[in-house]
Amino acid sequence: MPPSSPADTSSAAPVAIDGRAAMAWMHTARFFTTAAQLHQLPEVQVPEIAFVGRSNAGKSTAINTLAQQRQLAFASKKPGRTQHINLFALGRQGALEAVLADLPGYGYAAVSREDKLRWQRVMLNYLVQRKSLSAFVLLCDPRLGLTELDEALLDALRPRVQAGLKFLVLLTKADKLTRAQQAKALSITRLQAGGGEVRLFSALSKQGVEEVAQLLWQWTRPESNATATPESAPPAPPEEA
């Protein structure tokens, strides 16, 4: 009998990438554009991953840590000062392979009610309507847990999640917890999140950094998302205005 032909791998899962390679890919991140309103953002034909959360959850710090760059994302000493959607391009040798989005924080009491409502509208419109959005990362301080605003955001995005939108709840500042407290926070948050991924993360101790970089890399590979259409035609949101 002739030797068997190689197995067909056209529908197989993407080849795994190690932590060092994933971090090297994240290091390619560079500023792309900024916008105060959704209509000001350029359309992109690559996967887009949004970072969202309360104003003091550490979004910009997490992005900078993953990218191994100190000032890629603006981290204000006064939470709530970021008022724009900031996009960062990812890709080797200047290629555009994926986009990270740093969204305005929400829930910070020191800004006016009018500003808070405006930022929340912009953020929610982006998350519900942005066609290229393929995943989002919800950052949360594990000492506080998911707040009512966090849970409301997850509820608002359930239709898109059910349609294939991936999400990660990132428990930041994990270095401030003991191992027992970390395990408890993971267990509780997994129940609250009702799906998606939940990971511990620390910019200080670098806990979880490589693992998150690997996950984001996988999410930007077309083969890893069976429900997504090709990069040239991102999935349409179910509730687009």
Side-chain angles (χ1 to χ4, degrees):
M1 293 180 61
S4 58
S5 58
D8 180 11
T9 59
S10 59
S11 60
V15 177
I17 187 174
D18 63 28
R20 180 178 295 183
M23 291 297 289
W25 181 72
M26 290 296 303
H27 189 56
T28 67
R30 65 265 183 199
F31 177 76
F32 186 35
T33 191
T34 186
Q37 297 292 336
L38 181 60
H39 67 85
Q40 297 171 343
L41 290 174
E43 294 184 4
V44 296
Q45 307 301 323
V46 296
E48 192 163 303
I49 299 176
F51 282 66
V52 63
R54 290 178 61 86
S55 298
N56 58 352
K59 297 187 309 301
S60 298
T61 299
I63 292 173
N64 289 338
T65 300
L66 287 164
Q68 306 124 80
Q69 301 179 43
R70 291 185 178 181
Q71 297 181 334
L72 177 67
F74 178 69
S76 174
K77 293 182 179 179
K78 295 183 178 181
R81 295 296 296 275
T82 302
Q83 302 180 31
H84 290 70
I85 298 171
N86 296 313
L87 301 187
F88 306 101
L90 282 167
R92 300 176 182 86
Q93 299 180 342
L96 182 60
E97 299 176 2
V99 170
L100 300 181
D102 184 11
L103 303 191
Y106 54 83
Y108 188 62
V111 299
S112 71
R113 176 178 174 80
E114 181 180 349
D115 279 342
K116 281 197 290 187
L117 292 175
R118 176 174 60 82
W119 298 349
Q120 288 171 204
R121 281 195 299 269
V122 170
M123 179 191 64
L124 188 58
N125 286 340
Y126 165 89
L127 292 168
V128 171
Q129 299 180 20
R130 183 71 168 167
K131 292 182 178 180
S132 51
L133 185 68
S134 59
F136 67 94
V137 179
L138 173 60
L139 291 94
C140 166
D141 186 332
R143 297 169 298 177
L144 301 176
L146 290 177
T147 66
E148 290 185 7
L149 287 173
D150 297 326
E151 292 180 338
L153 178 67
L154 288 174
D155 286 342
L157 292 176
R158 289 296 175 194
R160 291 206 71 176
V161 169
Q162 292 170 359
L165 183 69
K166 298 179 182 296
F167 75 92
L168 163 67
V169 178
L170 200 60
L171 300 177
T172 60
K173 307 174 186 178
D175 55 279
K176 299 183 182 297
L177 302 180
T178 65
R179 288 189 178 183
Q181 290 171 331
Q182 289 183 0
K184 182 178 180 180
L186 277 173
S187 178
I188 292 174
T189 306
R190 282 171 179 151
L191 289 174
Q192 289 180 304
E197 300 277 350
V198 180
R199 302 287 175 87
L200 292 160
F201 186 92
S202 170
L204 182 62
S205 69
K206 302 300 186 288
Q207 180 180 358
V209 174
E210 286 192 358
E211 290 81 2
V212 171
Q214 289 174 288
L215 182 62
L216 299 186
W217 184 89
Q218 291 169 2
W219 281 356
T220 61
R221 306 301 104 179
E223 298 89 347
S224 67
N225 187 353
T227 61
T229 52
E231 289 183 355
S232 59
E239 298 183 2
E240 184 174 0

